[in-house]
Amino acid sequence: MTTPRVVIIGAGIVGASLADELSLRGWNTVTVVEAGSLPAAGGSTSHAPGVVFQTNSSRVMTQFARYTAEKLLGLRWDNEPCFLDVGSVEIATTPERVAELARRHGYAQSWGVPGARLLSTDEVLEKWDLLNRDRVLAGLFVPGDGIARSVNAVAAQLARAQAAGVSVLDNTPVTGLVILDGRVVGVSTAGGDIAADVVVCCAGIWGPVIAEMAGVTLPLTPLAHQLAWSSPLDELADRTVEASRPVLRHQDSGLYYRERGNTIGVGSYRHRAMPLSAHDLRPWGEATMPSVEAFTPDDFAWPLAESVDMIPALAAASWDDAINGIFSFTPDGMPLMGPTTVEGFWVAEAIWVTHSAGVAKAMAEWIIDGASSSFDLHACDVNRFEVHEKSPAYILARDSQNFVEVYDIVHPLQPMEHSRPLRTSPFYPRQQALGGQFLEAHGWERPNWYESNAGLLAASPATPQPTPGPWAARFWSPIVAAEATTTRSAVALYDMTALRRISVSGRGATEFLQSMVTANIAKSVGSVTYCLMLGEDGGIRSDITVARLGAEEYQIGVNGEADLDWLGRHLHSSTFADTVRITDITPGTCCIGVWGPDARRVVQSLTGTDLGNDALKYFRATTAYLATVHVTIMRLSYVGELGFEIYTNSDQGLVLWDLLMAAGADFGIIAAGRSAFNSLRIEKGYRSFGTDMSHDHDPYEAGLGFAVRLDKGDFIGKAALLARKDTSVRRLVLLRMTHPNELVLGNEPVFVDGIPSAVGYVTSASYSYTLGASLAYAWLPTSCAEPGTPVEVEYFGERYSATVTAEPAFDPGMERIRR
């Protein structure tokens, strides 16, 4: 069978792994092009310390690392192993880190990392006897972690790929890409052009240079990272193997350690960020290893002193073997993977050795099958970034900050502190005046709550309030209770401008959209439809709302840049490419959610357009004037109360806000923030894409089967969905904690009596101020998903009892919604 011609640029650990994974799946018309000399070509792989810690707050990153460790453990090169499974120990020297290790142990259980367990001080010293006992409070041990011998792994995988027919060319720098009619058709080298149907950039720190050849911006920054090797130590004089102790992380000080025979390597993130431009890296020929910069001893002074205090045996060591090694960072700390906006040009970038084989497997599945069947890649899609996130200044600032924070204890709601504000809605001045406490989402300043509502707490003493622990109490305020209660009892304004909005219009727009979504959107003008976009495998690509504003005119609420790319990519290859237009209208528009039992009274007072229940039914849209402001009104509610999403142009947004606040004054209207919004949407049973469900979940197991119409025409993913419709072994379920104050935040493991390992994990959670209960969504096996099933959620090492409960947890009832 003839397979497409693939050219992989870069033969570091990622390129070598991808060549191997493609060949294992029968694709052997593959050429790997490398500028350096193999197997140690001179990129980041060649100097990588190889420490592999599988546990990560991200499920997909943990899965990548698990596959990498398992694969490399089974490989050998020249009778030498490619992986040393010595395990890992993370130590805590502060009470805060002790708690953090308990949280990380929860991640390991949630994501199925075998054998992870917390250690006492004595148990840590049994595994790492050279440590200063007085400094160590606790530890986390993972037996399957270890040391990847990355150069061996490159050689072994390339050899296997070559045996399957893959061609490997080293000492062959890429000088350009051959692009014809917007498609990459080849790679130019000093030795001539190589024809290709698919080109995959695995160039690591040189990735931005290669991507620019295709006109693609990669949000990636090469940064230097210090690694120093001690001179031989007397305490290790009897070593006959490369390593016997586990790899060690001392994250409180930004340090890690590994053995190498009778020496110890010290890796440090405890220094200033040292970014470089990919264009300024030394070329091959001028340096044996162009990914290495000269060591800067001053930056190592504090890490060395700390290391000597932690490992006293290092006091007599010298440090002649030391480098500033360069590797890649991205604005959100995740890899850059997938097809770019240039047809045929793919990337697999910003990938460390730890995740290399897992990423390669996912890429091979994606390239061959159109989607990965093994991993949920929504957080890795190279097309996920907004325009501002690809600006050089933003990339540099974010990537440098991520380097500094790589070992920090970071709260899931913790916003970036630099480059703000970047994007503000027209309502921002009013929100500031109300004491808005802002978090950041894709550059948008989004109020979490408003200090101006503090006085409402005294007026509602009966409103239940949680007493969250110190972690859950961060980025939270008791004011949230007042905002949630007012939404349920009166009316509140929510800034929904950060919701991404696109227009799809032109001849064929209806037919095109019908092929993209799960529901029937070919309804009357004014209809609004909640529906899904699926991948070819039937997994959920996104959940969206489609409002039909004209015969061939639609306004769509999507989840981000990746949705825009998905629609644009399919439009480009469709018969409607010349007649249908997709336009991002977010920057020029704004949106206010007006929700609560009195919402209609407030809005109706500003317009002669009938907004009554018979005139504007649920999931219908209309245009109107609210006083002098022309708006599109959609009767939608993401909080489970009567209300509307109201859209207008940005230039009239501030006027709209003031009109609504003035009209609502007699009804007790307030502005409310994201914390109340999240609480109310979970009460009502509304899912959040990317958190509660994603690419590897289908609509039925996610509880979204109502958004699928199998009796309509064909749509992407329909055939696969039919095949998997009745085969699911898991469900997204709602949990109610037994004790109201036991709040969780997400990613915690869930246990069922009689089963020693975790059976599932929490996705999102919030306190319900309506019910006085703590709620959480979780993925569980179908055998544990029936309402009434008792479970336990592990939070920072403690087990919280909970019960699977029917949805929705709260429903205001149709009479209240009709008022």
Side-chain angles (χ1 to χ4, degrees):
M1 179 183 70
T2 301
T3 58
R5 298 164 298 178
V6 179
V7 174
I8 298 171
I9 301 174
I13 191 68
V14 178
S17 298
L18 178 56
D20 185 45
E21 293 291 336
L22 288 170
S23 65
L24 289 172
R25 287 161 178 78
W27 279 34
N28 55 13
T29 52
V30 176
T31 302
V32 183
V33 183
E34 169 57 53
S37 299
L38 291 168
S44 302
T45 298
S46 301
H47 62 72
V51 292
V52 173
F53 293 82
Q54 298 172 77
T55 306
N56 193 293
S57 60
S58 162
R59 181 167 66 111
V60 70
M61 295 296 274
T62 300
Q63 291 171 330
F64 286 158
R66 279 195 66 187
Y67 181 81
T68 299
E70 292 166 0
K71 180 180 181 180
L72 298 191
L73 184 61
L75 293 177
R76 297 183 70 83
W77 173 251
D78 200 19
N79 292 320
E80 290 289 327
C82 293
F83 189 81
L84 308 177
D85 57 338
V86 293
S88 74
V89 171
E90 300 179 40
I91 58 171
T93 59
T94 63
E96 293 79 11
R97 186 67 63 173
V98 172
E100 173 68 1
L101 292 187
R103 185 167 73 119
R104 289 180 58 76
H105 181 239
Y107 295 153
Q109 295 177 96
S110 291
W111 314 144
V113 177
R117 63 186 180 92
L118 295 169
L119 303 179
S120 66
T121 299
D122 287 343
E123 290 172 319
V124 170
L125 270 293
E126 288 175 8
K127 295 187 179 298
W128 249 92
D129 55 305
L130 300 182
L131 295 178
N132 179 350
R133 174 183 292 273
D134 294 337
R135 297 288 308 281
V136 178
L137 301 180
L140 172 64
F141 174 64
V142 177
D145 291 349
I147 298 170
R149 303 181 74 190
S150 52
V151 174
N152 279 9
V154 166
Q157 291 182 98
L158 286 179
R160 186 159 68 181
Q162 285 177 292
V166 170
S167 298
V168 178
L169 306 176
D170 63 354
N171 299 305
T172 307
V174 170
T175 59
L177 300 176
V178 183
I179 300 177
L180 184 64
D181 295 330
R183 178 182 180 85
V184 171
V185 295
V187 172
S188 297
T189 74
D193 291 351
I194 304 170
D197 301 300
V198 174
V199 174
V200 188
C201 179
C202 302
I205 56 178
W206 291 275
V209 177
I210 300 297
E212 284 177 13
M213 296 175 182
V216 172
T217 298
L218 282 188
L220 178 159
T221 302
L223 283 110
H225 158 63
Q226 291 199 310
L227 175 64
W229 296 95
S230 74
S231 57
L233 303 177
D234 291 342
E235 290 80 358
L236 301 180
D238 60 347
R239 292 290 128 173
T240 59
V241 296
E242 181 175 337
S244 58
R245 289 178 178 84
V247 292
L248 179 71
R249 274 210 288 219
H250 176 20
Q251 291 170 286
D252 286 322
S253 295
L255 299 168
Y256 64 84
Y257 307 92
R258 59 150 290 189
E259 291 181 323
R260 186 180 68 182
N262 58 3
T263 70
I264 289 179
V266 179
S268 172
Y269 293 98
R270 188 62 180 265
H271 59 74
R272 61 193 168 94
M274 294 184 276
L276 297 93
S277 167
H279 290 279
D280 294 336
L281 298 170
R282 291 177 295 165
W284 282 266
E286 291 184 13
T288 303
M289 196 174 293
S291 63
V292 170
E293 293 285 300
F295 189 66
T296 50
D298 289 349
D299 292 304
F300 195 60
W302 190 93
L304 177 56
E306 175 65 11
S307 296
V308 168
D309 189 57
M310 180 57 68
I311 306 174
L314 295 176
S318 59
W319 303 88
D320 298 328
D321 184 3
I323 62 171
N324 285 6
I326 308 168
F327 63 143
S328 304
F329 275 79
T330 63
D332 59 6
M334 297 297 285
L336 308 175
M337 299 171 58
T340 69
T341 53
V342 177
E343 192 172 354
F345 183 62
W346 295 61
V347 299
E349 289 288 344
I351 296 146
W352 297 359
V353 170
T354 299
H355 310 106
S356 55
V359 166
K361 179 180 180 182
M363 287 291 296
E365 293 174 343
W366 199 347
I367 291 168
I368 295 172
D369 301 326
S372 173
S373 59
S374 303
F375 306 95
D376 168 20
L377 302 179
H378 87 276
C380 307
D381 191 328
V382 67
N383 301 296
R384 66 188 181 270
F385 295 98
E386 305 276 348
V387 172
H388 74 274
E389 293 173 314
K390 292 185 281 190
S391 70
Y394 182 89
I395 294 169
L396 178 61
R398 286 297 298 150
D399 293 356
S400 297
Q401 187 65 24
N402 281 342
F403 176 90
V404 172
E405 294 179 349
V406 70
Y407 277 176
D408 286 0
I409 300 172
V410 178
H411 193 278
L413 295 179
Q414 182 171 317
M416 66 182 188
E417 297 179 357
H418 60 83
S419 306
R420 293 178 63 187
L422 279 171
R423 308 171 84 180
T424 60
S425 75
F427 324 129
Y428 188 59
R430 300 294 186 263
Q431 294 167 339
Q432 288 179 301
L434 292 172
Q437 301 300 299
F438 296 92
L439 297 183
E440 179 269 342
H442 293 293
W444 289 102
E445 295 296 322
R446 195 163 64 181
N448 210 27
W449 68 83
Y450 294 88
E451 290 294 333
S452 60
N453 293 324
L456 297 175
L457 292 172
S460 303
T463 299
Q465 280 275 11
T467 306
W471 188 249
R474 293 188 66 189
F475 308 104
W476 173 86
S477 168
I479 295 172
V480 177
E483 295 181 359
T485 301
T486 301
T487 307
R488 289 273 182 247
S489 62
V491 60
L493 297 189
Y494 289 82
D495 182 358
M496 300 298 290
T497 303
L499 173 69
R500 194 69 179 271
R501 294 172 295 286
I502 63 175
S503 169
V504 179
S505 62
R507 182 170 51 84
T510 302
E511 189 175 347
F512 168 67
L513 287 174
Q514 284 285 69
S515 72
M516 297 297 299
V517 303
T518 57
N520 176 27
I521 54 90
K523 296 183 286 192
S524 61
V525 171
S527 65
V528 183
T529 307
Y530 175 82
C531 51
L532 309 171
M533 294 192 295
L534 306 181
E536 294 287 358
D537 61 350
I540 300 170
R541 288 283 313 189
S542 188
D543 66 333
I544 65 176
T545 55
V546 180
R548 192 172 194 180
L549 304 183
E552 295 283 24
E553 180 186 357
Y554 296 84
Q555 179 176 311
I556 305 179
V558 299
N559 282 294
E561 189 72 20
D563 290 353
L564 191 59
D565 174 77
W566 179 258
L567 287 165
R569 191 178 300 278
H570 285 85
L571 176 61
H572 177 70
S573 61
S574 76
T575 58
F576 307 107
D578 295 330
T579 61
V580 173
R581 298 177 302 279
I582 299 177
T583 307
D584 181 7
I585 61 173
T586 311
T589 57
C590 57
C591 178
I592 296 178
V594 187
W595 293 318
D598 292 324
R600 182 182 286 117
R601 294 188 179 99
V602 172
V603 181
Q604 186 67 77
S605 70
L606 294 169
T607 183
T609 300
D610 187 357
L611 303 179
N613 193 61
D614 293 332
L616 189 65
K617 298 180 183 298
Y618 197 41
F619 273 91
R620 296 290 297 180
T622 190
T623 58
Y625 279 97
L626 300 186
T628 60
V629 181
H630 188 257
V631 298
T632 298
I633 302 177
M634 299 184 193
R635 189 174 164 198
L636 303 176
S637 173
Y638 205 56
V639 299
E641 290 289 343
L642 170 68
F644 312 92
E645 290 181 3
I646 304 177
Y647 299 86
T648 192
N649 292 335
S650 293
D651 59 348
Q652 288 201 287
L654 198 57
V655 175
L656 175 63
W657 177 281
D658 290 345
L659 283 170
L660 290 167
M661 290 296 278
D666 291 341
F667 300 96
I669 196 170
I670 64 167
R674 193 69 181 182
S675 281
F677 176 91
N678 195 52
S679 171
L680 297 168
R681 69 100 180 161
I682 291 178
E683 288 178 356
K684 191 61 175 70
Y686 295 141
R687 282 91 167 107
S688 175
F689 176 79
T691 303
D692 297 319
M693 75 283 188
S694 191
H695 293 187
D696 58 344
H697 303 117
D698 71 49
Y700 300 106
E701 60 192 9
L704 297 176
F706 67 88
V708 178
R709 294 291 181 265
L710 294 175
D711 57 353
K712 62 169 272 187
D714 196 21
F715 55 85
I716 293 174
K718 181 177 180 179
L721 188 60
L722 285 168
R724 61 191 283 182
K725 183 176 184 294
D726 299 315
T727 62
S728 178
V729 296
R730 59 187 175 180
R731 291 286 186 274
L732 182 67
V733 302
L734 185 66
L735 305 181
R736 181 167 178 162
M737 302 297 165
T738 302
H739 300 290
N741 285 331
E742 292 182 340
L743 308 177
V744 299
L745 294 179
N747 294 346
E748 294 86 2
V750 181
F751 296 84
V752 172
D753 185 40
I755 302 176
S757 58
V759 298
Y761 60 92
V762 171
T763 58
S764 60
S766 184
Y767 184 80
S768 166
Y769 298 93
T770 308
L771 302 175
S774 178
L775 303 176
Y777 275 121
W779 281 99
L780 294 180
T782 52
S783 59
C784 308
E786 286 301 312
T789 303
V791 299
E792 290 183 316
V793 179
E794 185 171 307
Y795 179 76
F796 284 91
E798 293 186 49
R799 294 285 182 94
Y800 292 170
S801 63
T803 304
V804 177
T805 189
E807 292 189 77
F810 173 79
D811 191 335
M814 286 308 298
E815 286 307 313
R816 184 154 143 198
I817 287 177
R818 285 174 177 153
R819 281 201 309 184

